Each structure stands twice: as C-alpha cells, then as structure tokens.
C-alpha cells in the first residue's frame, strides 16, 4: 500500500491546509453570532437589566393624572330651590407620590434586581464557555473524521490493487487460494470501513453545523502552545473568573435581599403625597372647587394572620439553600479544573505516543511489504499490519482532537481565552 497516501491524514494534524481556511477562533465567533442558546442567554440578561431599572424606578417619585368629563341634565325637584338645569360635571386631579420610608423594601428590591443582573450575566458567560468547548470538540471531530475518511479511502484503493495483483499471482500459481481469499476479504473490509468513515464524517459535519450555523470548510489545525499552568495557579484563576461561582454568589446576594424584603413587610411605610384638583359638581350647578394639598401617607400592617412571619421563614430558608448551592458550586469548579488540567496533561502525552505509534506502524508496513514480495513473510502478516496502521491513524486523530477539546476546557475555566466575550 502506498505509504504517503495512507499517512496523509496524519499530516493534516500538523500542517495548515492550503487556501482559505477557517480557524477555531473564527468558528467560535460564528457560533456566538448564530447559536440559539447564546441568543437566549443574552435575552435573559437584557430582561435582568430591565428588572434592575424597574427596581430603581420604584424609589423615584410617581406622578399620575386622572380626570373625567360628563354632560347632561340634572333635575333636583326644587330641592334647595334648585330648578332643573344642564350640567357639565368634570374633574381633573394631578397626584405626586414620593416614597420616604418602606422598611428597607425598596433597597432590598434594588439589591435583589442587581444580584439578578449579575447572575444573568454570569450565566451568559457560562453559556459562552460551554459553547466554546462544544465548538472546539466539534471542530476537532470534523478534522479527525475528514482525515480518517481520506485515510480509509487510500487504504481501500491500495487493497484493491493488492487484490488485483493477488488474483494474477493466484492464476499464475504463485500463491495459494487462501492468500487470495484473505486479500479479497480485507478488500471488502476496507470498503465497509470507507462507508463507516463517510457516515461518521457526515455526523461530525452535522454536529459542527448545528453549533456554528454553517458547514465546515477547510478547517485549520487548532493551535496548541503546549502551555500548562500549575494546578494551584489554575485553581486560583478559576475561583476568580468562574461564571458558575459568580452566578452562585449572585444567588446568595439575591436571597439576602429577598430576606430583607420579607422583613420589610412587617414595618411601616411612609411617602410624601401632593395633589392638585379641580372639580365641577353635577348636583350643584355653578359649584367649583380648586384645591392643592400636600401631606404624608403611611401604612403599617399590624396583623396579617402569620403571613409576614411565614414570608420571613421562607426567605431565610432560601438564603440557606443559596449558600449551600454556592458551596457546591465552589467544589464543582475545583473538581472541573482538576479534571481539565489532568486531562490536558494526559491527552498531550497520549497524542505524542499516538503519533509515535503511527510512525512505527508505517515503518512496519514498509518492511513487511518488501518481505512479502521476496517471500520471507506471509501475506497475512502484511494485511494485519495494514489494519493496525489504519487503527493507529484513527487513534492519533482522536488523541489530537482530545487535546484540542481539553485545552479549550481548561482555557475557559481559567479565563485564558483569546476570543472576546459576547
């Protein structure tokens, strides 16, 4: 089998493609613009911004205007010596209200909305991180599937040539029937392998398109600078930038604000009120009233059937739950960093070993090919070596893909990402 044709897949792992190509960062940028999960997370962040604006607005004055106009005839039957008359009753009322004290409810509402905003933004970043890792894995999957498909095709073509030569040699009486049958069997196996590789490539391309919103076109090798921070450094970075932990901490702040809001239900509220009013009465023709009033309005719920205490108990339980979730998030982030750090280190070593395995398999096939031609080794040994060669290529491709995915996973966990945030 032609060695150069088979190991072309391995070359794709280390050399950039010719012509216009897509980089991993470009694929991630395209996915950010297309991906529905990112769009949904952005919409939720916008909604959180609006809730904060509404909470801030509750502390500002409110102004309302109300009025009515009627027209008709009123007959009081001589009461108060008023005869029947046409009337046009109308009223206009302008009211202003400025909250002065609400037991902390208004401040708690702002704090709760601000925490919600921080949580929504953290979840947007978390969604972006997950998308980056998914795109990296799909990107590497397409490259590996494409390279393995091409390698499978090369081996199938080579086995077709071996089968042709084996048929000629069998007809000439140079090899036994068993060698011909083995060659034909491996040829059929190679054709089946091509079909499977083609199907795997179609699946990989579909997964990529579902994330990025476009078909993959000439994907460049993903860069790997082989850098690896110490585990302690990675853990420190992750605790600082982790969106999972930031969202959990925002949840604690929101729960504390909810507890303050619940406590405020049992406290008085006071607001400044001002009113300007003009009235034309329907019962007394010609009556008018123009008034301006300024004063205070207050409310204090003295008994609510236990509802206030129940709300405080519920909020207190919610705070304890949020604190527990924050602790769980911190432990989960630590576990994820340790796993990603260990995976990247192991995957790089595995990829190096896999490349060495491909080189050894190539050398073994070259040697066996010559030995079979001179009759020193049976054909079965060469066929087995060719099978091992293709398996080594597949293993190397998969190992390189794992390096790409694990490197991106550690990068997003520690905040070491070259691409901009959404």
């Amino acid at each position: 089998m032609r060695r150069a044709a088979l190991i072309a897949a391995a070359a794709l792992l280390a050399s950039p493609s010719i012509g216009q190509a897509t980089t991993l960062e470009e694929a991630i940028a395209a996915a950010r613009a297309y991906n529905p999960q990112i769009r949904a997370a952005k919409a939720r962040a916008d909604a959180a911004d609006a809730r904060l604006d509404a909470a801030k607005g509750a502390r500002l004055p409110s102004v309302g205007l109300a009025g009515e106009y009627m027209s008709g005839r009123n007959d009081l039957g001589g009461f108060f010596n008023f005869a029947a008359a046409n009337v046009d009753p109308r009223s206009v009322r302008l009211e202003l209200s400025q909250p002065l004290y609400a037991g902390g409810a208004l401040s708690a509402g702002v704090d709760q909305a601000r925490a919600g905003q921080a949580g929504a933004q953290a979840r947007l970043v978390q969604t972006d991180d997950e998308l980056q890792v998914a795109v990296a894995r799909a990107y590497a999957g397409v490259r590996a599937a494409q390279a393995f498909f091409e390698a499978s095709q090369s081996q199938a073509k080579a086995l077709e040539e071996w089968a042709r030569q084996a048929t000629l040699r069998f007809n000439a009486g140079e090899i036994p029937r068993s060698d011909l049958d083995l060659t034909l069997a491996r040829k059929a196996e190679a054709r089946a392998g091509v079909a499977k590789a083609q199907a795997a490539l179609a699946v990989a391309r579909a997964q990529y398109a579902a994330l990025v919103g476009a078909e993959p076109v000439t994907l460049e090798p993903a860069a790997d600078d082989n850098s690896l921070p110490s585990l302690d450094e990675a853990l420190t970075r992750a605790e600082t930038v982790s969106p999972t932990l930031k969202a959990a901490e925002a949840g604690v702040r929101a729960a504390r604000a909810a507890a303050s809001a619940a406590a405020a239900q049992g406290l008085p509220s006071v607001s400044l009120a001002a009113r300007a009013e003009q009235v034309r009465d329907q019962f007394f023709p010609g009556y008018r009233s123009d008034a301006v009033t300024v004063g205070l309005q207050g409310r204090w719920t003295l008994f609510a059937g236990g509802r206030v205490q129940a709300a405080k108990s519920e909020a207190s339980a919610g705070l304890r739950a949020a604190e527990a979730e924050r602790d769980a998030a911190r432990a989960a982030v630590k576990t994820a960093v340790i796993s990603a750090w260990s995976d990247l280190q192991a995957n790089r070593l595995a990829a190096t070993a896999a490349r060495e395995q491909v080189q050894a398999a190539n050398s073994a096939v070259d040697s066996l090919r010559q030995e079979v031609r001179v009759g020193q080794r049976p054909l079965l040994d060469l066929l087995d070596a060719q099978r091992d060669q293709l398996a080594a290529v597949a293993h190397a491709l998969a190992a390189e893909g794992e390096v790409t995915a694990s490197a991106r996973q550690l990068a997003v966990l520690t905040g070491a990402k070259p691409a901009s945030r959404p």
Side-chain angles (χ1 to χ4, degrees):
M1 183 178 59
R2 293 170 295 175
R3 178 175 180 271
L6 180 62
I7 64 173
L12 290 174
L13 296 172
S15 303
S17 301
I18 299 175
Q20 187 66 31
T22 301
T23 66
L24 176 57
E25 301 308 326
E26 289 171 343
I28 290 173
R32 283 187 175 125
Y34 161 78
N35 192 262
Q37 284 78 18
I38 289 289
R39 297 202 306 271
K42 286 182 178 178
R44 286 190 287 269
D46 292 342
D49 293 342
R51 286 192 292 270
L52 177 58
D53 291 340
K56 290 179 178 179
R59 297 189 298 189
L60 300 177
S62 61
V63 179
L65 178 65
E68 65 177 16
Y69 173 81
M70 305 292 288
S71 179
R73 184 171 179 80
N74 190 6
D75 187 354
L76 298 179
F79 191 71
F80 291 130
N81 296 320
F82 283 110
N86 295 326
V87 293
D88 296 307
R90 59 188 181 275
S91 67
V92 179
R93 183 171 61 254
L94 180 66
E95 293 181 322
L96 180 145
S97 178
Q98 169 62 62
L100 299 178
Y101 176 74
L106 297 178
S107 296
V110 172
D111 292 342
Q112 192 170 11
R114 184 173 285 116
Q117 180 192 48
Q121 185 61 40
R123 283 186 286 274
L124 172 58
V125 173
Q126 184 177 10
T127 303
D128 179 74
D129 286 349
E130 293 170 353
L131 178 64
Q132 287 191 57
V133 175
V135 171
R137 189 171 294 280
Y139 186 99
V142 171
R143 280 182 48 80
Q146 180 67 43
F148 185 67
F149 173 61
E150 293 173 3
S152 299
Q153 285 182 313
S154 296
Q155 188 172 80
K157 290 179 181 178
L159 283 170
E160 286 181 2
E161 178 59 22
W162 270 105
R164 188 186 69 81
Q165 294 180 13
T167 300
L168 294 175
R169 294 179 65 189
F170 172 74
N171 292 335
E174 297 178 5
I175 60 172
R177 180 74 191 188
S178 59
D179 281 357
L180 175 60
D181 290 341
L182 285 171
T183 305
L184 294 175
R186 290 298 171 84
K187 174 184 144 180
E189 179 183 297
R191 291 173 59 188
V194 170
K196 289 182 179 179
Q198 188 174 21
L201 175 59
V203 172
R205 291 177 64 86
Q207 291 172 340
Y208 176 95
L211 289 170
V212 178
E215 292 294 327
V217 179
T218 315
L219 306 183
E220 285 189 351
D224 182 16
D225 57 8
N226 292 317
S227 63
L228 184 67
S230 68
L231 181 56
D232 288 340
E233 183 182 359
L235 288 170
T236 300
R237 287 183 190 174
E239 187 152 346
T240 301
V241 305
S242 170
T244 301
L245 191 53
K246 287 182 178 180
E249 290 172 345
V252 172
R253 295 196 299 273
R256 286 175 182 159
S260 298
Q265 294 182 28
L267 298 176
S269 62
V270 179
S271 61
L272 173 67
R275 176 185 298 174
E277 186 174 25
Q278 182 184 79
V279 177
R280 300 296 181 265
D281 193 75
Q282 66 175 336
F283 296 107
F284 301 99
Y287 173 83
R288 58 179 295 166
S289 172
D290 299 311
V292 176
T293 57
V294 179
L296 297 176
Q297 292 179 336
R299 181 180 179 83
W300 192 353
T301 301
L302 300 178
F303 178 73
R307 292 192 300 273
V308 173
Q309 186 58 42
K312 292 167 64 175
S313 297
E314 180 183 0
S316 177
L319 176 58
R320 295 196 304 273
E323 290 173 338
E325 290 170 355
R326 178 195 57 194
D327 295 340
R330 181 174 288 111
V333 168
K334 181 178 180 180
T335 301
V337 171
I338 293 173
S339 176
W341 189 89
S342 302
D343 285 348
L344 179 56
Q345 189 177 46
N347 288 334
R348 282 174 174 164
L349 294 173
T352 299
R355 287 192 292 268
E356 294 173 353
Q357 184 182 8
V358 170
Q359 294 174 355
N362 291 338
S363 178
V365 168
D366 286 344
S367 299
L368 282 169
R369 184 181 296 111
Q370 299 302 323
E371 293 170 1
V372 169
R373 283 177 178 172
V374 299
Q376 292 181 347
R377 298 288 291 271
L379 179 61
L380 179 60
D381 289 350
L382 176 59
L383 296 176
D384 287 341
Q386 290 173 337
R387 176 187 284 172
D388 293 341
Q389 183 187 40
L390 187 61
V393 169
H395 184 64
L397 291 167
E400 292 292 342
E402 288 301 318
V403 169
T404 299
S406 58
R408 180 59 57 162
Q409 178 70 63
L410 184 61
V412 299
L413 286 171
T414 59
K417 297 166 287 297
S420 60
R421 287 293 191 183

